Amino acid sequence: MAKMILTHEVAGLGVAGDVVEVKDGFARNFLVPRRLATPWSEGGEKQIESMRKARRAKALASVEDAHAARDALQSSPVVVKAKAGQAGRLFGAVTAADIAKAIGDRAVVDKRRIHVGHPSSPSEITRSR
């Protein structure tokens, strides 16, 4: 097992600054070549602390930004227009990029953070002419 310091977020493993133990092959063949992690060392502890401080500052800023975005989006609904058939079924899909485009300048939203689910009731889908 190799002890590694993550330099970027890795799905299912952790975020930047986390110390993780992974199998040697995973570290050698995946994490290190993609510069997602560095081998753990005593000097790496200082690097971890700087990453954690940066992450805390970023988290505080992101929480404030998220509250501002929430307030801007709750003040008026977002309307996404898409083509639908006679029965009301969409011809395509409403993607996260479509939603981000519809939000426009009202709020800064990362389209990778938008998760599109199914509407809970048919009343959430309205037809406009």
Side-chain angles (χ1 to χ4, degrees):
M1 296 293 273
K3 199 170 187 180
M4 304 296 288
I5 302 170
L6 296 178
T7 56
H8 298 286
E9 182 177 351
V10 179
L13 196 56
V15 294
D18 287 350
V19 177
V20 296
E21 284 196 32
V22 296
K23 293 192 176 189
D24 293 330
F26 184 63
R28 183 176 53 246
N29 298 325
F30 183 77
L31 295 175
V32 174
R34 289 174 175 82
R35 300 183 190 265
L36 298 174
T38 59
W40 182 87
S41 65
E42 292 291 329
E45 289 294 327
K46 293 177 186 174
Q47 183 183 10
I48 292 171
E49 279 305 312
S50 66
M51 282 185 204
R52 286 183 181 153
K53 286 180 185 177
R55 190 179 344 148
R56 277 189 228 118
K58 186 177 178 182
L60 180 61
S62 67
V63 167
E64 292 171 355
D65 292 341
H67 286 296
R70 179 197 62 197
D71 295 339
L73 293 174
Q74 283 181 342
S75 64
S76 62
V78 176
V79 177
V80 179
K81 294 186 179 185
K83 291 184 179 181
Q86 292 293 337
R89 294 186 51 93
L90 293 177
F91 286 128
V94 176
T95 63
D98 295 334
I99 295 171
K101 185 177 175 183
I103 291 171
D105 296 332
R106 286 192 275 174
V108 178
V109 178
D110 184 7
K111 68 179 179 182
R112 294 175 293 180
R113 300 282 184 189
I114 297 174
H115 298 283
V116 181
H118 296 287
S120 59
S121 68
S123 64
E124 291 185 29
I125 298 176
T126 57
R127 296 181 77 183
S128 61
R129 298 195 186 253

